Amino acid sequence: MLLKTIPYPFGEAKYYPSFIHVKFREDLDVVELEYSKQIFKDIEAFYDGAKYVVISERGLNTSFDPINMKSLNLSKMQGLAVVSPEGAARRDELIVEQGYYKGSFAFFTTYKAAEEWALTFE
């Protein structure tokens, strides 16, 4: 059940009881640190200390520097799913990104598969 939607200039976040679906604009080249900080500030305010899973949906050409994770409070995030079209370069990036996050991490090519995975944490 969708609880809330927050639009951003770079995409939108949809809040559900136990997970957030952050969908970045298809034409976005880089997920900037400032974008991530804003999203996680809103997530922390919404879930108010409860644990959650993040589904990050990105276009094949949208990059994310995983070093940015060190600047975010991820203590309540129990899982991270990345949804993106398949690509050799994307897979290599995600392997690096997974090394920066200590919780459950998964990669999907469809949102529906990521949603089913996120629901297993309830």
Side-chain angles (χ1 to χ4, degrees):
M1 169 177 56
L2 180 63
L3 302 175
K4 181 177 186 175
T5 300
I6 299 178
Y8 297 101
F10 49 84
E12 75 175 5
K14 292 185 176 182
Y15 289 77
Y16 297 87
S18 62
F19 70 93
I20 308 93
H21 175 208
V22 180
K23 185 172 183 177
F24 294 98
R25 283 191 348 245
E26 280 291 321
D27 63 346
L28 185 68
D29 293 327
V30 178
V31 178
E32 301 286 348
L33 176 58
E34 296 77 36
Y35 303 166
S36 297
K37 284 184 174 181
Q38 180 62 55
I39 291 167
F40 276 90
K41 179 181 169 221
D42 294 342
I43 288 171
E44 290 167 18
F46 184 84
Y47 288 103
D48 193 29
K51 293 185 183 231
Y52 55 84
V53 173
V54 172
I55 298 173
S56 175
E57 187 169 354
R58 313 173 198 158
L60 191 57
N61 296 320
T62 304
S63 67
F64 173 76
D65 186 347
I67 196 86
N68 290 344
M69 287 187 180
K70 292 186 175 204
S71 299
L72 304 171
N73 177 5
L74 305 178
S75 64
K76 297 296 182 183
M77 185 168 76
Q78 42 184 356
L80 172 61
V82 177
V83 178
S84 179
E86 183 65 60
R90 173 63 75 200
R91 187 165 295 283
D92 291 343
E93 288 173 11
L94 293 174
I95 289 169
V96 172
E97 186 173 333
Q98 185 174 14
Y100 283 86
Y101 177 61
K102 302 300 178 216
S104 295
F105 186 97
F107 169 65
F108 301 94
T109 55
T110 67
Y111 167 75
K112 186 68 180 157
E115 179 184 52
E116 290 171 4
W117 180 80
L119 290 172
T120 67
F121 289 85
E122 289 187 336

